Amino acid sequence: MQLHGQLTPEEFLQQREAILDRLFPTSQLMPGAEKLIKHLHAHKVPIAVATSSHRRHFDVKTQQHKQLLQLFDLVVTGDQVTKGKPDPEIFQRAASGFAQPPTHQFTCLVFEDAPTGVQA
C-alpha cells in the first residue's frame, strides 16, 4: 500500500476538523443521561464533566444541550490537564473544583464510556 505522500499531516487535521464540525453538532445524549443529570441536580449532588475532548470540540458536541450543561457544577476538558487518561489527573481536577471536594476517592462516582477512562 502506498499511502506516503497522499495526505500531509496538516491536510489530515484540516479534513478531520471539517468532519468533526459537521458531525459533532448532531451528538445525542446517551440513553438515560438527561434523567440522571436532572435527578442528581434536583437532589443537590455535585456533578462535573471530565472529558478528554478539547474545549472547542466539547462546545461543538454539546451545543444542543446547553440548558442541561448548566446543571453541572463544572466542566474540565482535555486541554486543561497535562496528562491524558488513563492518568486520573482530569478526574482529580474535576473533584477538586467542587465547593466541597470529596475527602476520599471512594466518595466519588464516575461514569465513563472509554476503556482508558475506566482505567483512570
Side-chain angles (χ1 to χ4, degrees):
M1 206 188 292
Q2 293 188 349
L3 295 177
H4 182 70
Q6 297 297 312
L7 193 64
T8 68
E10 293 79 17
E11 290 169 331
F12 168 78
L13 290 175
Q14 288 174 344
Q15 289 182 17
R16 176 182 176 267
E17 288 301 307
I19 292 168
L20 295 180
D21 285 344
R22 188 178 75 246
L23 295 177
F24 277 172
T26 61
S27 294
Q28 299 298 310
L29 296 173
M30 295 194 69
E34 183 172 0
K35 184 177 179 180
L36 176 61
I37 292 164
K38 287 180 176 179
H39 175 83
L40 294 172
H41 179 74
H43 289 85
K44 303 200 183 321
V45 175
I47 52 177
V49 172
T51 178
S52 295
S53 293
H54 283 217
R55 174 56 76 165
R56 190 185 87 72
H57 289 159
F58 177 78
D59 289 342
V60 175
K61 275 192 251 187
T62 60
Q63 64 189 16
Q64 291 186 46
H65 313 292
K66 294 292 183 195
Q67 280 189 308
L68 192 62
L69 284 168
Q70 291 176 358
L71 302 180
F72 285 82
D73 295 274
L74 68 146
V75 173
V76 180
T77 56
D79 48 339
Q80 294 177 286
V81 294
T82 57
K83 299 175 188 165
K85 297 174 185 176
D87 189 276
E89 179 187 2
I90 197 163
F91 294 125
Q92 293 165 341
R93 181 159 182 168
S96 69
F98 289 129
Q100 293 182 320
T103 56
H104 194 273
Q105 69 185 20
F106 295 117
T107 60
C108 274
L109 177 62
V110 174
F111 292 93
E112 181 56 58
D113 64 347
T116 55
V118 173
Q119 282 182 294

